[in-house]
Amino acid sequence: MVGGRRFRPGGGFGRQLDEHEPRADEREPAQPTAPPTDGLVDSAVYIRGHRFASPAGLAETYRCLQEQDGAMAWIGLYRPDIEQITSLAREFRLHDLAVEDAINAHQRPKLERYGHTLFVVLRAARYDDLREEVEFSELHLFIGPGFVVTVRHGEAPDLAAVRRRMEADAQMLGQGPEAVLYAILDQVVDGYAPVVAGLENDIDEIETEVFGGDPNASRRIYGLSREVIQFQRAARPLLNVLDALAAGAGGYGTDEELRRYLRDVTDHLTQVVERVDGFRHLLQNILTVNATLVSQQQNEEMRSLTAASYAQNEELKKVSSWAAILFAPTLIGTVYGMNFVHMPELNWRYGYLFALLLMALVCGTLYLVFKRRGWL
């Protein structure tokens, strides 16, 4: 307890991930503030948890920090240029490998210790209700004695909200850079909750589409599976980061109350990871069911085509049989209709009767043959 109340820097300490939490489509979408074009979002110097100065640039921040004993600088950057990163590295003696990672981005969540400086990489996530997609962004933090530097490579998380909440609790902010680190961790993990709700809503919609026979269901299943995998890659490694912080908290004399907050963040993140793991297994099952339903539909279509083809063949047999039966008398009649003078049976008294009987005999024979073969 701090000052007789719980610290809730991200609104998430002491809050459980509720199964009945409003879905992403029931929430009002967050309106992120437009980032500045020069890379410097905010720079402040704090003394005992109170904002002492708001320097306009990095050089002024360095000077103010050097002039005040026991001060802490919190510098927020958004996609800074190399000159700004180099200036920070020179002033705070940041390790070259950490600086290189901060410039290049595209890192997995991790924690690196370089002497008394911590380098932390976080992957924040935000659910876009309009596009029904998950947006990922990268956040780098340099935590050292008397300074916190945040380097944001995306729109999330909303660090301005974290700063406002921390400034409203001077006692907690006065505990130094570690308190800021834990507040940012809580903000990132809290940002996962709307993503989980949005993915759950998408999975419910996909189940309806699969059993409704939507032909585009497979494409959406694959797309959503890719988002779930990316979410796993953002959330699961963060557990290792939190475990590493917890393991090193005792050796670095971290306040016991901050360690409780860290365990609370770990509990929330564990719930998120477990639910996301369940989403992945559920999507695999949905994909299997969809493949089975598609296969059944294709089999039904093949049976229908086979039945139609069989019916056409039967009709073709009947038409061919009757055509052959009718062809015989036509052939005989055509031969005797040539009107040649020297033709056999042309002057025979019973020639006409003989021709009729021959036609009837040929037709009857063909009819019996086709009937026995089942063509008629």
Side-chain angles (χ1 to χ4, degrees), residues 8-73:
R8 300 172 59 87
F13 290 145
R15 178 184 61 80
Q16 296 297 321
L17 189 60
D18 195 338
E19 294 289 342
H20 303 290
E21 192 171 28
R23 298 180 182 275
D25 56 354
E26 298 173 355
R27 300 171 180 268
E28 294 184 3
Q31 300 296 331
T33 57
T37 57
D38 59 357
L40 182 62
V41 179
D42 194 1
S43 180
V45 175
Y46 299 90
I47 298 179
R48 291 185 293 276
H50 297 280
R51 184 184 281 245
F52 174 77
S54 300
L58 294 179
E60 186 178 347
T61 302
Y62 305 152
R63 184 172 57 255
C64 183
L65 188 62
Q66 293 171 358
E67 294 173 352
Q68 302 297 325
D69 293 333
M72 180 191 73

Side-chain angles (χ1 to χ4, degrees), residues 57-367:
L58 294 179
E60 186 178 347
T61 302
Y62 305 152
R63 184 172 57 255
C64 183
L65 188 62
Q66 293 171 358
E67 294 173 352
Q68 302 297 325
D69 293 333
M72 180 191 73
W74 183 352
I75 303 172
L77 302 174
Y78 177 84
R79 293 177 179 171
D81 53 35
I82 297 179
E83 288 75 12
Q84 290 175 318
I85 294 292
T86 303
S87 174
L88 290 168
R90 184 171 53 251
E91 177 67 24
F92 298 120
R93 299 179 181 179
L94 305 179
H95 197 278
D96 293 341
L97 293 177
V99 172
E100 182 181 355
D101 289 343
I103 293 175
N104 297 330
H106 302 294
Q107 304 292 321
R108 296 190 65 186
K110 64 178 181 179
L111 181 146
E112 302 282 352
R113 293 184 183 272
Y114 300 100
H116 294 285
T117 302
L118 286 179
F119 175 63
V120 183
V121 178
L122 304 177
R123 295 276 292 174
R126 186 170 68 94
Y127 187 82
D128 191 327
D129 293 325
L130 297 178
R131 297 187 300 167
E132 294 186 338
E133 293 180 356
V134 181
E135 296 179 354
F136 297 93
S137 57
E138 195 166 325
L139 174 65
H140 298 172
L141 295 93
F142 295 93
I143 310 294
F147 69 89
V148 177
V149 177
T150 60
V151 181
R152 195 156 47 96
H153 291 275
E155 305 305 319
D158 186 2
L159 296 183
V162 178
R163 190 186 290 266
R164 288 193 298 269
R165 283 191 290 268
M166 292 294 289
E167 289 179 348
D169 192 344
Q171 185 173 359
M172 179 56 66
L173 184 57
Q175 296 193 34
E178 286 187 341
V180 177
L181 172 61
Y182 295 160
I184 294 175
L185 287 170
D186 183 63
Q187 178 74 11
V188 171
V189 173
D190 277 355
Y192 290 160
V195 178
V196 170
L199 290 175
E200 186 176 20
N201 185 52
D202 290 343
I203 291 175
D204 292 340
E205 293 178 356
I206 284 179
E207 289 179 334
T208 303
E209 293 175 359
V210 167
F211 289 102
D214 191 336
N216 296 322
S218 297
R219 182 184 298 274
R220 191 176 182 189
I221 292 173
Y222 279 114
L224 187 56
S225 298
R226 185 173 61 252
E227 289 184 346
V228 169
I229 292 174
Q230 290 178 340
F231 195 18
Q232 280 184 315
R233 292 174 178 172
R236 181 172 289 280
L238 187 53
L239 286 174
N240 297 330
V241 173
L242 294 175
D243 291 341
L245 286 173
Y252 286 87
T254 303
D255 182 78
E256 180 62 28
E257 190 67 10
L258 289 179
R259 295 165 70 176
R260 293 194 187 99
Y261 299 150
L262 181 63
R263 289 193 294 269
D264 189 67
V265 175
T266 303
D267 291 340
H268 294 164
L269 180 60
T270 301
Q271 295 180 48
V272 170
V273 171
E274 290 176 350
R275 293 183 66 178
V276 174
D277 290 343
F279 289 164
R280 187 170 182 179
H281 293 305
L282 183 57
L283 285 171
Q284 290 176 347
N285 294 334
I286 292 176
L287 186 60
T288 301
V289 171
N290 183 66
T292 302
L293 294 177
V294 170
S295 178
Q296 290 178 350
Q297 182 180 2
Q298 291 176 345
N299 291 338
E300 291 293 334
E301 292 176 354
M302 288 298 298
R303 280 195 290 268
S304 299
L305 291 175
T306 302
S309 178
Y310 178 78
Q312 290 177 352
N313 289 337
E314 291 299 316
E315 293 297 327
L316 183 59
K317 288 179 181 179
K318 293 179 181 180
V319 172
S320 300
S321 300
W322 284 113
I325 293 173
L326 294 176
F327 176 73
T330 302
L331 178 61
I332 297 174
T334 302
V335 171
Y336 279 93
M338 292 182 180
N339 296 323
F340 289 109
V341 176
H342 302 288
M343 285 187 66
E345 297 87 22
L346 203 62
N347 296 319
W348 185 32
R349 181 176 181 180
Y350 301 102
Y352 176 69
L353 180 60
F354 174 77
L356 293 178
L357 291 176
L358 181 60
M359 292 179 187
L361 178 63
V362 173
C363 291
T365 302
L366 291 175
Y367 179 81

